[in-house]
Amino acid sequence: MRVTFLAHSGFFVELPEACLLFDWWKGTLPPIPADRPLLVFASHRHEDHFSPAIFSLDDGTRDVTFLLGRDIRLTDRNRTRWNVSDATAEHCTRLGGGEVRDLPSGVKIETLTSTDEGVAFLVTVGDRTLFHAGDLNWWHWEGEDPGWNRNMEVNFKAYTQPLQGRHLDLAMLPLDPRLGKDGFRGPRYFLDLARIRCMIPMHQWEDFGFTGQFLDAYPQYRSRVLPVAENGQVFSLDI
């Protein structure tokens, strides 16, 4: 498995069976192999997770499928603005939380409801399972109304319940420095909830040193976390 961290929450994952592109809105894409399906995921409509530029990847040179959070609406107006042709629109599938899709390529897609907008993606390719959280996170903000933070905790734990005990070869999880130490809540919970073999942090706003703070506070996760040092970093994983 070859994983390129593009920027923010964007990843390009190359597997023998397929290539997976998650939440790309900036960062340079590596060359995309044309000999296998390309699955393009956009978890939700926020501009730091979705760019209409993804639709330009459907250029007729490869087999492309777009998996979109249901809040990304393909209205006539949006299709015109985003230059989405009828042919490309036929390659788009919009998903809400709690859905399961088996693609012709043999890839299985499961979605979880997000605590913000859109969905998180659980993707099974062959004998590997990957998880991209999108904005599904335990968003605990200091100074926010206590009732709001409590409701967020309840929803986060409910929405992540399908991951209980699941084996995940790779999990791409938010570790957001804007929350301070409360940003540790989400990844801690994920790492204890599921059997995560390898985690790559995301949604760090290029404050990559925050991962070190997390691991200093919780060294028991050090063997399972791959810190990101820069945009465009490549991980070659024996998974």
Side-chain angles (χ1 to χ4, degrees):
M1 183 189 301
R2 178 182 170 92
V3 181
T4 303
F5 173 76
L6 301 171
H8 196 59
S9 298
F11 294 84
F12 183 65
V13 181
E14 299 173 64
L15 296 167
E17 302 91 341
C19 292
L20 317 177
L21 177 61
F22 293 97
D23 282 13
W24 176 53
W25 63 285
K26 71 174 183 176
T28 302
L29 286 179
I32 301 175
D35 62 348
R36 70 203 80 167
L38 172 64
L39 307 182
V40 181
F41 298 84
S43 62
H44 63 291
R45 64 184 178 178
H46 289 168
E47 63 182 11
D48 63 322
H49 290 263
F50 166 71
S51 168
I54 62 174
F55 298 116
S56 67
L57 297 172
D58 189 14
D59 60 3
T61 64
R62 58 179 61 88
D63 175 9
V64 183
T65 301
F66 298 93
L67 292 309
L68 311 174
R70 193 171 294 282
D71 62 316
I72 300 174
R73 301 179 61 208
L74 295 175
T75 61
D76 290 342
R77 179 172 179 269
N78 282 343
R79 285 181 52 183
T80 298
R81 291 169 54 214
W82 299 340
N83 195 29
V84 178
S85 67
D86 290 343
T88 296
E90 291 180 359
H91 298 159
C92 295
T93 299
R94 296 170 59 239
L95 298 164
E99 296 196 44
V100 179
R101 297 293 175 93
D102 291 302
L103 303 183
S105 58
V107 177
K108 181 178 181 179
I109 310 295
E110 302 169 70
T111 57
L112 278 63
T113 302
S114 176
T115 45
D116 193 345
E117 296 243 19
V119 297
F121 294 106
L122 191 61
V123 185
T124 301
V125 186
D127 59 356
R128 302 176 185 89
T129 300
L130 299 82
F131 178 69
H132 187 283
D135 266 355
L136 172 57
N137 191 26
W138 186 338
W139 299 105
H140 184 103
W141 296 95
E142 184 177 356
E144 182 61 79
D145 179 82
W148 188 95
N149 279 329
R150 174 58 183 162
N151 189 59
M152 173 61 63
E153 176 184 355
V154 170
N155 287 341
F156 174 76
K157 292 179 177 179
Y159 297 163
T160 57
Q161 187 56 37
L163 298 178
Q164 175 76 47
R166 288 285 297 264
H167 173 82
L168 306 179
D169 292 289
L170 173 63
M172 295 156 275
L173 305 177
L175 182 56
D176 195 317
R178 299 175 302 169
L179 280 69
K181 291 184 179 180
D182 288 320
F184 300 163
R185 293 171 181 256
R188 280 182 59 203
Y189 193 84
F190 277 120
L191 286 162
D192 290 339
L193 180 70
R195 294 185 294 118
I196 296 173
R197 183 172 178 180
C198 179
M199 168 194 162
I200 301 180
M202 65 181 190
H203 215 276
Q204 297 192 285
W205 305 97
E206 301 190 0
D207 183 0
F208 301 124
F210 193 60
T211 301
Q213 297 178 41
F214 172 67
L215 294 177
D216 286 345
Y218 302 99
Q220 65 268 34
Y221 303 128
R222 195 174 296 275
S223 65
R224 293 192 281 159
V225 176
L226 293 178
V228 173
E230 60 184 358
N231 293 342
Q233 186 171 342
V234 177
F235 301 88
S236 295
L237 306 180
D238 186 17
I239 294 176

